[in-house]
Amino acid sequence: MPVAFIDIEASGLDPNSWPVEVGWVFNRSGDGDQDNNSDGAAYLVAPADEWPMSAWSDVAEGLHGLDIETLRSKGRSVRAVCDAIEDALCGMTVYSDAPDWDGFWLMRLFSAAGRKVPFSLADFNQAIREPLLLNPGLIETAERIAPRNHRAADDARHLAALFRLATNAV
């Protein structure tokens, strides 16, 4: 069964924060050089009416580069993003490198749509812990193949690259 990797960018890191971008990629067999060709998707999320603008962080905006105006004009509704997530990831094993935060933001997203998250998050760090202890250079290799840049799809691609490198190294 294929697995997926998800990343969520958010308005900030406080208890009222909310998702601004959701991205995921799937684990595909093949060598590490194919990481940028993994199928997946990313969606900007238009702020839901009930999400407080007071949870917007200029620091977070500086990291992901997304502003409120862009989210309002180019973001998809919470329902549309939830539909896409359900269609792509329902019933799959989905890895996150920050399952507590990503789980919180997924709950905020799906709650705003009146739904429940259709999958559980698995802890990416636990899945690759042993191979990384044996070969810490895998992180640098994954960074060259699929750099992290605080955008959801790119960061999910990085996780997929690191996962493939780690599972091939065992």
Side-chain angles (χ1 to χ4, degrees), residues 13-167:
L13 291 176
D14 75 35
N16 293 314
S17 62
W18 35 272
V20 301
E21 185 180 39
V22 180
W24 62 87
V25 298
F26 300 101
N27 185 42
R28 302 286 186 223
S29 59
D31 64 41
D33 293 333
Q34 296 176 358
D35 290 297
N36 290 321
N37 297 324
S38 295
D39 295 331
Y43 293 90
L44 296 179
V45 182
D49 292 339
E50 65 264 29
W51 293 344
M53 288 301 119
S54 61
W56 188 260
S57 164
D58 292 336
V59 173
E61 180 178 334
L63 288 173
H64 52 60
L66 299 168
D67 57 49
I68 295 288
E69 293 76 28
T70 300
L71 297 174
R72 287 184 175 141
S73 65
K74 296 183 179 179
R76 301 256 183 121
S77 72
V78 294
R79 289 188 186 278
V81 176
C82 289
D83 287 345
I85 292 170
E86 286 177 350
D87 289 346
L89 303 177
C90 186
M92 292 187 72
T93 299
V94 181
Y95 286 101
S96 165
D97 65 345
D100 292 338
W101 278 112
D102 288 345
F104 170 72
W105 292 317
L106 283 166
M107 185 271 312
R108 296 283 313 237
L109 179 71
F110 277 83
S111 179
R115 302 180 195 174
K116 292 186 178 183
V117 179
F119 57 86
S120 297
L121 290 178
D123 188 340
F124 177 79
N125 299 304
Q126 290 300 317
I128 64 161
R129 183 180 192 144
E130 187 174 329
L132 283 184
L133 290 173
L134 297 173
N135 189 351
L138 295 176
I139 294 172
E140 291 175 19
T141 303
E143 186 64 30
R144 283 194 305 276
I145 292 169
R148 296 184 79 131
N149 64 8
H150 294 288
R151 289 302 300 267
D154 290 340
D155 290 359
R157 253 184 230 100
H158 175 80
L159 295 178
L162 187 52
F163 183 84
R164 280 192 290 279
L165 289 166
T167 55

